[in-house]
Structure formats: C-alpha cells, structure tokens
C-alpha cells in the first residue's frame, strides 16, 4: 500500500496537523485511508510530533464538505470535520478545517461540537458567506445519518479498519 501524507489546514490555510496514511481502497462512498496506532502526528506548531493513539480510518468523498475519522474505541466511534472539499496534490491530501465538528460516542450519543470556534472563525472574515452556509447546512444534514448509523457512518468503516489491521 502506498503511503500518503494527510494534511489538515485551518481557516487561515496554514497546516494544522499532518500524519502518514495508507490508501486502503475505494468503494461507492469514496476513498478510504488508514493510519495505525503509534503513527507520528505532527502538531499545529510544526515542531511537536506525538504518536497517534488508536488505529483509524478516514473517508474522502468526492466534493463532500466533510471528512469522517472512524476510531471505534471504547469512547469514540467517529468524529467528522466539516471542511472544504478535500483535494489531492502530489500525494498529499488537504482541506480547510472549518472548525465545526460532529461526533458519535461509543454509546451512540451524537452531536455537533465546536460551534463557538466555528462562529469565531465565521466572524473573523476568513470564511466566505458560502463557506459558512455550506458548513452549517452540512453539519445539520449529516447529524441524523450519524445518529442512525446510516452508511457511510455505519459498519462499512469497520471493514476498512479490519483491512488496515490485517
């Protein structure tokens, strides 16, 4: 499997986090990427590197304003970054993180978090009105599917996580 570097950018379009991932494959939902526990995660300051706590898989769906990370740990099933549509340049995936996030805990609770960070970013002038509207609409439209574990937010990711671990 080829190694790719996943870059996450914040509203100012500067790098926030980056870590190596494996391209696991594709299906009707998009491109699946994986990273193993212990993988080096470069922190936003660009100097600190910390090990990834758990195995995880990410889904990149073409044109989507979201990127889910599936963990399936004792605490967290998944987190979803609301972001600009991801793009691939020279084997590096990137997107602009719009701060608004969704989560689903292992006990099935789901919700939208970081509304205050999103509001602050929206007021800062770093986002266009279109980005603000798309982010808000995307988060609220995804929440029922996350709560219902509708695909691709259900068991499909477990198959890709098993592929990463094999």
């Amino acid at each position: 499997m080829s190694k790719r570097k996943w870059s996450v950018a914040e509203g100012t379009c500067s790098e926030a986090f980056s870590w190596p991932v494996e391209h696991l494959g594709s299906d009707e939902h998009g491109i699946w990427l994986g990273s193993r526990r212990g993988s080096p995660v470069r922190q936003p300051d660009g100097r600190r590197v910390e090990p990834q706590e758990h195995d995880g898989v990410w889904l990149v769906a073409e044109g989507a304003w979201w990127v889910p990370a599936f963990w399936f740990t004792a605490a967290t099933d998944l987190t979803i970054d609301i972001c600009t549509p991801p793009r691939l340049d020279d084997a590096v995936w990137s997107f602009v993180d719009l701060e608004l996030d969704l989560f689903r805990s292992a006990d099935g609770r789901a919700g939208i978090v970081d509304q205050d960070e999103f509001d602050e970013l929206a007021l800062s002038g770093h986002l266009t009105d279109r980005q603000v509207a798309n982010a808000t609409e995307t988060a609220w439209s995804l929440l029922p599917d996350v709560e219902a574990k509708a695909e691709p937010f259900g068991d499909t990711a477990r198959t890709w996580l098993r592929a990463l671990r094999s």
Side-chain angles (χ1 to χ4, degrees):
M1 292 180 205
S2 62
K3 288 281 188 176
R4 297 198 177 176
K5 190 168 193 109
W6 181 263
S7 296
V8 180
E10 60 183 289
T12 58
C13 298
S14 63
E15 186 173 3
F17 294 94
S18 63
W19 62 96
V21 297
E22 297 176 36
H23 181 263
L24 300 174
S26 300
D27 65 12
E28 67 273 16
H29 304 295
I31 298 169
W32 291 89
L33 307 169
S35 186
R36 298 173 195 279
R37 178 179 183 265
S39 293
V41 179
R42 185 167 305 283
Q43 300 301 305
D45 63 15
R47 293 183 297 268
R48 288 182 306 136
V49 176
E50 296 178 6
Q52 182 172 303
E53 290 184 37
H54 306 283
D55 292 344
V57 294
W58 290 263
L59 172 63
V60 178
E62 186 175 342
W65 282 72
W66 46 268
V67 173
F70 298 87
W71 305 102
F72 299 116
T73 68
T76 306
D77 275 2
L78 76 106
T79 57
I80 301 174
D81 282 309
I82 302 300
C83 57
T84 59
R87 59 190 180 101
L88 179 62
D89 290 319
D90 296 327
V92 175
W93 285 100
S94 64
F95 61 81
V96 177
D97 185 357
L98 301 178
E99 300 300 334
L100 200 55
D101 299 307
L102 285 85
F103 75 94
R104 186 176 61 229
S105 60
D107 66 7
R109 285 181 310 110
I112 296 173
V113 294
D114 299 334
Q115 182 71 52
D116 51 343
E117 286 95 342
F118 174 71
D119 292 344
E120 185 178 320
L121 183 60
L123 292 172
S124 73
H126 289 295
L127 300 180
T128 66
D129 290 343
R130 178 176 170 257
Q131 288 173 320
V132 171
N134 280 349
T136 302
E137 180 182 330
T138 297
W140 286 103
S141 68
L142 289 178
L143 186 57
D145 288 344
V146 170
E147 290 173 324
K149 297 184 180 183
E151 297 302 347
F153 308 115
D155 288 330
T156 296
R158 289 182 189 275
T159 301
W160 292 102
L161 188 59
R162 280 191 298 274
L164 172 71
R165 291 173 173 162
S166 63

